[in-house]
Amino acid sequence: MHPDHLGMPVRALWRSRQFYSAYFGFDPATAQEYEDSTVIIRNADGFDLALHPVGHVEPSPVCLHVGFKAAMPADVRLLERTEADGVTVVAQNDDAAYIGFNCRDPDGHRIEVYWEPPRNS
C-alpha cells in the first residue's frame, strides 16, 4: 500500500487549485467536483489532492506539513519562483545532506520542498 490522496481544508477553491497547479504540478484539467463541493485535482504521478471548502481554516500544528521530494538538487530552485511571487517562505536549508525550503499555501498549510542524497544501505 502507499498513500494516494490528501484532503485539505481550503477557504477558496480557485486560489488553492491555482497554487497547487502553478508550483506542484497538479493538473486543473483533472478537477472533479463532488456533491459536498470537494474538488479533487491530480498530479502526473496520480496523487489526488482533495480540496474541501470551509469558511475558516484552523492553524495546523508546527510539525504537520505536506512534503514534495525533488528528483535533483536543482529542482529545489522552485524557491526563487515562490519568493518572487510573494509566497511566504518560513524556512530554508542548503547543505550536502538536505536542500529544501518550507512555505505556506494560501490557507497557511506548511509545504516542504526538498532533496536529500540517496541513503546508503
Side-chain angles (χ1 to χ4, degrees), residues 4-69:
D4 72 348
H5 73 273
L6 173 68
M8 299 178 78
V10 301
R11 289 171 295 166
L13 286 168
W14 64 270
R15 187 174 56 202
S16 294
R17 283 171 59 171
Q18 181 180 22
F19 178 84
Y20 287 98
S21 296
Y23 301 113
F24 301 105
F26 286 88
D27 184 357
T30 65
Q32 292 179 280
E33 186 170 348
Y34 292 84
E35 287 183 26
D36 67 353
S37 298
T38 295
V39 171
I40 295 180
I41 55 177
R42 181 170 287 122
N43 70 11
D45 295 326
F47 189 85
D48 293 342
L49 188 59
L51 306 172
H52 302 279
V54 296
H56 176 72
V57 176
E58 294 290 328
S60 299
V62 173
C63 64
L64 184 63
H65 67 278
V66 178
F68 292 93
K69 186 172 186 176

Side-chain angles (χ1 to χ4, degrees), residues 91-102 112-117:
Q92 47 186 312
N93 194 49
D94 189 353
D95 62 42
Y98 172 89
I99 299 170
F101 70 95
N102 284 241
E112 177 184 23
V113 178
Y114 71 100
W115 174 87
E116 293 176 308

Side-chain angles (χ1 to χ4, degrees), residues 79-111:
L79 170 64
E80 295 168 6
R81 193 167 129 229
T82 55
E83 284 182 319
D85 290 347
V87 173
T88 302
V89 174
V90 295
Q92 47 186 312
N93 194 49
D94 189 353
D95 62 42
Y98 172 89
I99 299 170
F101 70 95
N102 284 241
C103 66
R104 299 272 183 204
D105 80 354
D107 292 288
H109 301 295
R110 192 175 185 119
I111 309 297

